[in-house]
Amino acid sequence: MRRIYFLFILSVLYCNTVNAQGSQVKIANNSVGKLQTSISNKEDQKKQFTIIGEGLKAIESAQSDKKTKNWPETWAIKAYLTSYVALVDENEQSAEKNFSLAVEAVAKAKELDKFQSNHELIGAAEKNIIAKKQSLGTEAFNNNDFLNAYTLLKDVSDRYPKDTLLAVNTAICAQNIQQYNDALAFLLRAKEAGIKNPSVYQNIAAIYTSKFENELAIKTLEEGLQLNPYHVSLNNDYINLLLDNERYEKALKRIESSLGQDNQNKLLLFLYGYLQQYKQNNLSNAENAYKKALNLDQNYFDSLYQLALVFLSEANNSLNNKNVSKYNSFTNHAEFTLLRAYEINQNNRNVIKLLIDIYTRKNRLDRVQELKRKLNEF
């Protein structure tokens, strides 16, 4: 009889212990409810922190117990309470401490919550953590601390993949720490989310080009131009990429259509002239294009130099046709054009060499010697 009574006492004590263990979790859970009510009622932070303090004190007791320390609810509550403190506490040290505790608690809660019975509380804690990461990441980004910013913002972007600005900022961080594959991934995320910003397409194309994936780069710029027709910088990148990859016919068509939209673009006029000169062998069209570019900018060195080469080609053709008057006329035009180029850049070796060639033809040995001395100075 005594044995039965003794076992009964042990049983009661055990039940009381279990109840005591569970009551600490209940106290903490009640604190969560109180906190949410306090937030809804927009009560002051001091009162909210008092509620949180009660909850965390109960959780500490639950964590120290062999049974409740392995309850997913214990860690889910801790994650929520500490994540909220991390988000709103103006004391940086306290916020940082609670942020670390929250991250640890979320990981433990997710590990233990096999049946996802605490998914709402864990989800709320994760949202608070992500919000804190975004705040810290944005601050680091603004301070040009791109390594820390990237570490934080990439998780935020993974959480909100449709946020194009966030994806772009994360990509900028990755580029600044030379993580170009990651930068490409986040830029593509922004693109897939529907961003229209031409610089995004330019950056994607630039990364593809650096990886020698030129077809993907061309395709990307074409997609960018569909969203931003004839955007000057984007259009120039596209044309230059076509030229770099010897897609001359496609480049020429693009230049012609672009000039139909904007005939005051000296670069497009220069490129049109260049293709007419070297790929179409149409010196007349090339001459007109260079002259139009020079009408927009009389000191446009590249157009002056190429125009001089056109005149020299015309001079040589006239000489082959034994037309001396035309030969002399084109040679004089070339000389005059090169002198204008020389005034702009007196250290250009190619201009000096061409002038030496012209003055040699004209038997102007004084000018030849003068220019040769200039050439020897380099």
Side-chain angles (χ1 to χ4, degrees), residues 32 60-61 86 93-94 106 108 116 135 152 196 223 231 234 249 267 297 378:
V32 171
E60 285 178 10
S61 298
Q93 289 184 337
S94 174
V106 162
K108 187 71 174 177
Q116 297 186 350
S135 175
L152 293 161
K196 295 183 179 181
E223 290 172 343
H231 181 276
L234 187 63
E249 288 294 331
L267 176 61
D297 180 2
F378 296 142

Side-chain angles (χ1 to χ4, degrees), residues 317-333:
N317 291 339
S318 299
L319 188 62
N320 291 334
N321 294 327
K322 298 180 180 180
N323 191 328
V324 177
S325 62
K326 277 192 174 183
Y327 168 78
N328 289 332
S329 175
F330 281 121
T331 302
N332 289 335
H333 283 312

Side-chain angles (χ1 to χ4, degrees), residues 71-72 75-80 82-83 99-114 121-123 125-126 129 133:
W71 287 9
W75 293 96
I77 294 169
K78 182 177 181 179
Y80 177 72
T82 52
S83 69
F99 177 70
S100 299
L101 291 172
V103 171
E104 179 187 348
V106 162
K108 187 71 174 177
K110 291 174 77 172
E111 177 189 341
L112 295 171
D113 197 28
K114 305 296 184 183
L121 209 53
I122 294 171
E126 286 183 314
I129 289 171
K133 283 186 175 183

Side-chain angles (χ1 to χ4, degrees), residues 83-84 86-88 99 123-139 152-153 155-157 159-160 166:
S83 69
Y84 183 76
L87 188 61
V88 302
F99 177 70
E126 286 183 314
K127 284 184 178 179
N128 287 342
I129 289 171
I130 287 296
K132 184 63 177 178
K133 283 186 175 183
Q134 185 166 13
S135 175
L136 293 172
T138 301
E139 183 181 354
L152 293 161
L153 292 180
D155 291 340
V156 185
S157 183
R159 178 86 178 196
Y160 304 112
L166 184 57

Side-chain angles (χ1 to χ4, degrees), residues 140 144-153 173-174 176-177 179:
N144 295 328
D145 181 3
F146 295 113
L147 177 58
N148 191 32
Y150 177 67
T151 302
L152 293 161
L153 292 180
C173 293
N176 275 280
I177 60 173
Q179 297 291 330

Side-chain angles (χ1 to χ4, degrees), residues 24 26 74 85 120 153 157 161 175 184 199 203 209 215 224 227-228 239 261 270 286-287 317 320 325 373:
Q24 294 302 315
K26 286 181 180 178
T74 300
V85 175
E120 290 185 1
L153 292 180
S157 183
Q175 281 184 303
L184 177 61
S199 65
N203 276 324
T209 301
E215 290 304 315
L227 298 170
N228 305 275
I239 292 168
Q261 298 292 320
F270 170 79
E287 179 183 342
N317 291 339
N320 291 334
S325 62
R373 282 195 297 271

Side-chain angles (χ1 to χ4, degrees), residues 62-72 74-75 108 112:
Q63 278 185 266
S64 63
D65 184 84
K66 290 182 180 180
K67 290 188 177 296
T68 53
K69 73 176 183 180
N70 291 319
W71 287 9
T74 300
W75 293 96
K108 187 71 174 177
L112 295 171

Side-chain angles (χ1 to χ4, degrees), residues 301-367:
F301 179 86
D302 290 340
S303 280
L304 285 169
Y305 180 75
Q306 290 301 144
L307 180 59
L309 291 177
V310 169
F311 287 141
L312 287 174
S313 295
E314 293 281 22
N316 292 332
N317 291 339
S318 299
L319 188 62
N320 291 334
N321 294 327
K322 298 180 180 180
N323 191 328
V324 177
S325 62
K326 277 192 174 183
Y327 168 78
N328 289 332
S329 175
F330 281 121
T331 302
N332 289 335
H333 283 312
E335 177 189 359
F336 175 73
T337 305
L338 286 169
L339 286 173
R340 287 174 60 193
Y342 183 67
E343 288 177 6
I344 296 167
N345 185 359
Q346 296 186 11
N347 295 318
N348 188 283
R349 297 173 66 92
N350 290 330
V351 170
I352 294 173
K353 286 179 181 179
L354 288 175
L355 283 170
I356 289 172
D357 179 60
I358 288 173
Y359 288 129
T360 300
R361 296 185 191 190
K362 291 188 170 187
N363 203 27
R364 292 282 306 278
L365 300 182
D366 55 332
R367 292 291 287 147

